[in-house]
Amino acid sequence: MPVRSIQIEGLQASVDTRVVVTSIAVDPTGERLAVAGDDHTIRILNAATLVQTDLLEGHRDLIRTLAFNPSGQVLASAGNDGQLILWDCQNSFEELRRLAAAPALTCVRFSPAGSVLAAVGFDSRVFFIGKEQGRDVRCDSKDLRAVAFRDDDRVLAVGGRTGNLHLFDPREGEPLGIYPVHRGRIHGIYFQRDSNLAITVGEDGYVNVFDSMNRTVKHRIAVTTGRIFTVAHVDSQRVAVAGSDNSIRIVNTDTGKVEHRLEGHQGSIAALASSGGQLFSGGYDATLK
């Protein structure tokens, strides 16, 4: 597959500044790409051409996380300023709502139906937006980095500094168990689609395939001596993972094997996203591929 690459340039054309990519999200239609940078802005690109169509300004610090809701009508963004902003994708990306959360936020994800948004950050709580008050849940760490819903909305997975995978019933807020899956901070969690398998990646350089039904580790895969920061869907059997060694690996979650290694970045890869057979990556070298 051919590789396309663009530089993410700063807003001032007269200044030679390049923008580190901190998060990427693709809308459900596969038509639009949201790319957050360390200049506190979000660029909306045409996913096919990588041409910028909109620039969203509203955050005052580093943006760490982006997520479209299942309909593609709302984009959520959050980061170090403790602000969670909901953008109206149908109306020139105007702000729908702005929530001032106390801690810096590291990951936001919509529920499968899109009616609830879960957020985690530099706190032990999991915040729910669009849900009754009083149902926030807590973990064993004040540094949470990842949250994900299982497709049936019966399990919510959370991870952070301790390397423990916390499972909750997102409807009732009841804990379902705590499982030590990494020897270091968890940076990403992804549920394979229509599956019980939770894929976790962390600073120990491992990819874990965890069966959330049987509550067992199916595979523990040594990928790199560096840190893994991000995980994204490829297909029903594969995920892409990347991190501090500038490489992307394609991992088969059924066999537990690394099938491919993709090179090209000249710095740590902070973000991955995929849609329609395309994989998007970005990171510290200020490029989007």
Side-chain angles (χ1 to χ4, degrees), residues 43-76:
R43 291 160 174 83
I44 305 299
L45 310 179
N46 180 296
T49 64
L50 300 185
V51 172
Q52 181 175 314
T53 59
D54 294 276
L55 181 71
L56 313 185
E57 300 179 275
H59 285 282
R60 300 188 298 271
D61 206 332
L62 187 75
I63 301 167
R64 290 180 174 269
T65 180
L66 299 169
F68 284 97
N69 74 343
S71 70
Q73 297 177 1
V74 178
L75 172 67

Side-chain angles (χ1 to χ4, degrees), residues 136-150:
D136 292 348
V137 297
R138 290 184 179 271
C139 297
D140 63 353
S141 169
K142 291 186 177 181
D143 179 3
L144 301 176
R145 297 299 179 99
V147 61
F149 288 89
R150 201 168 71 184

Side-chain angles (χ1 to χ4, degrees), residues 203-224:
E203 291 190 352
D204 57 3
Y206 278 78
V207 175
N208 277 324
V209 182
F210 184 85
D211 189 325
S212 62
M213 181 66 72
N214 298 325
R215 313 290 167 80
T216 58
V217 175
K218 181 180 177 182
H219 297 295
R220 179 170 165 78
I221 310 159
V223 169
T224 174

Side-chain angles (χ1 to χ4, degrees), residues 234-262:
V234 173
D235 57 34
S236 62
Q237 295 178 314
R238 297 169 182 85
V239 295
V241 302
S244 64
D245 68 356
N246 310 353
S247 300
I248 302 168
R249 272 87 166 185
I250 306 300
V251 178
N252 188 308
T253 57
D254 284 352
T255 65
K257 303 296 184 181
V258 176
E259 295 186 342
H260 302 285
R261 181 171 177 170
L262 311 179

Side-chain angles (χ1 to χ4, degrees), residues 142-276:
K142 291 186 177 181
D143 179 3
L144 301 176
R145 297 299 179 99
V147 61
F149 288 89
R150 201 168 71 184
D151 278 358
D152 61 3
D153 201 18
R154 296 175 67 93
V155 175
L156 181 79
V158 183
R161 177 185 293 174
T162 64
N164 291 334
L165 182 66
H166 293 254
L167 301 183
F168 297 94
D169 180 340
R171 300 164 301 176
E172 303 297 332
E174 296 295 327
L176 300 176
I178 303 174
Y179 305 92
V181 294
H182 286 277
R183 295 187 294 270
R185 184 183 282 109
I186 293 173
H187 275 283
I189 303 172
Y190 167 75
F191 275 100
Q192 279 286 41
R193 295 174 184 174
D194 301 317
S195 168
N196 295 318
L197 298 182
I199 317 303
T200 64
V201 299
E203 291 190 352
D204 57 3
Y206 278 78
V207 175
N208 277 324
V209 182
F210 184 85
D211 189 325
S212 62
M213 181 66 72
N214 298 325
R215 313 290 167 80
T216 58
V217 175
K218 181 180 177 182
H219 297 295
R220 179 170 165 78
I221 310 159
V223 169
T224 174
T225 57
R227 295 174 290 171
I228 306 178
F229 297 142
T230 181
V231 56
H233 169 82
V234 173
D235 57 34
S236 62
Q237 295 178 314
R238 297 169 182 85
V239 295
V241 302
S244 64
D245 68 356
N246 310 353
S247 300
I248 302 168
R249 272 87 166 185
I250 306 300
V251 178
N252 188 308
T253 57
D254 284 352
T255 65
K257 303 296 184 181
V258 176
E259 295 186 342
H260 302 285
R261 181 171 177 170
L262 311 179
E263 307 286 358
H265 281 282
Q266 302 302 313
S268 295
I269 300 166
L272 295 170
S274 71
S275 176

Side-chain angles (χ1 to χ4, degrees), residues 68-145:
F68 284 97
N69 74 343
S71 70
Q73 297 177 1
V74 178
L75 172 67
S77 62
N80 284 3
D81 60 2
Q83 304 289 314
L84 194 157
I85 303 177
L86 301 180
W87 308 86
D88 186 349
C89 304
Q90 294 186 303
N91 191 21
S92 301
F93 290 93
E94 293 183 359
E95 284 190 26
L96 283 171
R97 189 178 179 188
R98 178 185 288 259
L99 303 169
L105 295 173
T106 56
C107 186
V108 296
R109 292 294 182 264
F110 285 94
S111 66
S115 57
V116 175
L117 181 70
V120 298
F122 297 153
D123 193 282
S124 62
R125 290 173 291 175
V126 182
F127 301 93
F128 294 103
I129 294 92
K131 199 171 187 176
E132 297 91 341
Q133 295 298 311
R135 290 195 178 182
D136 292 348
V137 297
R138 290 184 179 271
C139 297
D140 63 353
S141 169
K142 291 186 177 181
D143 179 3
L144 301 176
R145 297 299 179 99

